[in-house]
Amino acid sequence: MEKEQSYVDGLTQLLSENYELVRKSKVNFVDKRIRFLIARLFAGKNEVIDAKRFFELNGLIKSELGFFTALNGNVRASLSGLLLADGTRDTSVLKQLIQYYQELIDVKFSRSEFTYFAAYLLLKQENEDVPEIAKRAKEIHRCLKKFHPFLTGPEDATSSVMLATLDAKLSPQAIADIVEFYFQEFADLDFHKNNGLQALAATSALLYGKKDRTFVARVRSLLNELDKNDMKVKELYYNTIGILAYVLDDKKLDSRFFELVAGLSELPGLKFFGKTFATALAMSLYTEEITGQMNQEQVENLMVSVHVLIAMEQASAVAATAAASAAAASSS
């Protein structure tokens, strides 16, 4: 028990330390949750963030892109954190990121913050034909949109890019069919039909490359276990549940998971956001810790999906505020 407690204490302490370094880095106007996600990237690797380099990278991205972009402070900080975790040291990677963003725009992805996250994922495709992956990703996006025309949007650029790396023998339509299989199967397990479910379905297709009912059963088993422990499933960790079910491979959650959830829920700074966000962080940290099969690329893909969900939430909040302001102005 003492060993398990030290694991939780050590992880929460490292997360707090990294959060404070991010907060004091002079990278301003960043949502506190984004700061925690950046801190989590390094805590999960058992590392301390280089705050000075983080600040420099953020400045480099700003100077390379200028002011007239879809990139707000939260997305810029997110990308800085992800690139720093990759060991980025110079501007050549940033120029490549911008080039890949343009590749995605050229195939008709929208100019949005989500396309920047998709461009980041393209950086992982070493020695691959990026323009071809971009074209294939757009075709997959179109096929996904046929199934869910009102649900599929700019935020699905990231999933489409990841899915485009699947076996070339699978056509875009075949890949979309696999995603839809998981979407409907998980909807039957009472996941809400929202963007989180579409992200989970895409991740499931990426993990297996086929329709696999055994995996659906594993997810069901994990949901039952969470329910028995009075943990309600929220959209913010739909995708993590899929990856956790994959890495658990029918094993049960151990006490460290529940202690980590409890520990993070009481962490100063996190308490403000409630248990949902703390649980999402705990689940992703625990998922990374329990398996050696989960490589850094998978961790980063997972974190990108969480960043995207928060970006979507912020975009919705901005739209709602703008609509309320417009309504108030018209009535005055």
Side-chain angles (χ1 to χ4, degrees):
M1 183 69 180
E2 184 177 341
K3 182 179 179 181
E4 291 177 355
Q5 190 61 44
S6 67
Y7 156 77
V8 173
D9 287 345
L11 203 49
T12 53
Q13 182 178 341
L14 186 55
L15 182 67
S16 296
E17 181 182 351
N18 277 310
Y19 174 81
E20 285 302 309
L21 287 168
V22 173
R23 186 178 68 83
K24 295 176 180 178
S25 67
K26 297 181 182 179
V27 176
N28 299 319
F29 309 110
V30 178
D31 187 300
K32 288 182 179 179
R33 292 170 301 172
I34 298 297
R35 288 175 179 162
F36 269 112
L37 287 173
I38 295 166
R40 174 258 173 273
L41 273 172
F42 293 86
K45 296 171 68 178
N46 198 33
E47 294 178 0
V48 174
I49 189 171
D50 182 339
K52 180 181 178 182
R53 183 58 187 156
F54 173 62
F55 174 75
E56 290 171 350
L57 261 179
N58 188 76
L60 282 172
I61 293 175
K62 192 172 183 178
S63 63
E64 286 289 330
L65 292 172
F67 294 99
F68 302 104
T69 73
L71 212 61
N72 62 33
N74 286 312
V75 178
R76 187 166 56 245
S78 296
L79 289 172
S80 300
L82 288 162
L83 289 168
L84 184 60
D86 289 342
T88 299
R89 307 309 302 176
D90 56 48
T91 58
S92 64
V93 175
L94 300 183
K95 292 182 185 299
Q96 198 170 34
L97 175 72
I98 295 167
Q99 178 190 333
Y100 290 168
Y101 172 82
Q102 190 56 51
E103 297 277 6
L104 292 168
I105 298 304
D106 289 345
V107 297
K108 307 304 182 186
F109 277 105
S110 64
R111 293 182 181 276
S112 76
E113 62 264 46
F114 309 112
T115 308
Y116 280 104
F117 282 121
Y120 165 77
L121 293 176
L122 283 174
L123 290 173
K124 305 295 178 183
Q125 306 308 311
E126 296 181 8
N127 303 317
E128 297 293 336
D129 189 340
V130 168
E132 283 304 312
I133 293 176
K135 289 178 186 176
R136 181 169 160 85
K138 187 57 185 177
E139 284 302 313
I140 292 169
H141 190 269
R142 290 192 184 101
C143 292
L144 293 173
K145 200 170 182 66
K146 289 178 186 176
F147 284 113
H148 303 286
F150 301 108
L151 185 62
T152 308
E155 65 279 358
D156 295 291
T158 53
S159 295
S160 299
V161 165
M162 287 190 286
L163 291 167
T165 64
L166 283 171
D167 190 341
K169 293 177 182 177
L170 287 170
S171 69
Q173 186 58 56
I175 291 171
D177 288 342
I178 297 170
V179 173
E180 182 62 10
F181 163 79
Y182 286 114
F183 187 96
Q184 296 301 337
E185 288 289 324
F186 293 141
D188 289 343
L189 298 183
D190 293 330
F191 283 96
H192 296 297
K193 292 184 176 182
N194 53 26
N195 294 103
L197 177 56
Q198 183 137 301
L200 167 60
T203 296
S204 304
L206 186 69
L207 289 170
Y208 286 90
K210 63 180 182 179
K211 301 171 184 179
D212 193 312
R213 293 189 184 279
T214 301
F215 178 59
V216 176
R218 287 178 183 169
V219 172
R220 182 190 299 113
S221 177
L222 178 55
L223 291 177
N224 290 337
E225 191 173 357
L226 292 171
D227 184 61
K228 287 177 184 177
N229 286 275
D230 298 318
M231 295 184 68
K232 294 183 179 180
V233 175
K234 305 290 185 178
E235 182 183 4
L236 191 58
Y237 36 95
Y238 278 12
N239 205 28
T240 323
I241 283 175
I243 296 177
L244 183 55
Y246 172 74
V247 298
L248 279 172
D249 195 23
D250 280 337
K251 295 189 289 291
K252 297 292 184 182
L253 294 166
D254 61 39
S255 60
R256 291 175 303 167
F257 170 70
F258 299 103
E259 289 173 8
L260 188 56
V261 171
L264 292 186
S265 296
E266 294 301 315
L267 196 66
L270 271 179
K271 291 176 71 173
F272 176 79
F273 300 110
K275 195 170 183 179
T276 297
F277 186 66
T279 300
L281 279 180
M283 195 173 289
S284 66
L285 282 165
Y286 176 79
T287 301
E288 182 179 2
E289 192 272 336
I290 62 170
T291 178
Q293 298 174 3
M294 192 176 185
N295 60 34
Q296 187 61 26
E297 183 175 339
Q298 288 174 307
V299 173
E300 287 159 359
N301 288 349
L302 170 60
M303 294 311 296
V304 164
S305 71
V306 179
H307 281 280
V308 166
L309 285 170
I310 288 177
M312 286 160 50
E313 180 186 314
Q314 290 169 338
S316 298
V318 169
T321 301
S325 298
S330 64
S331 63
S332 60

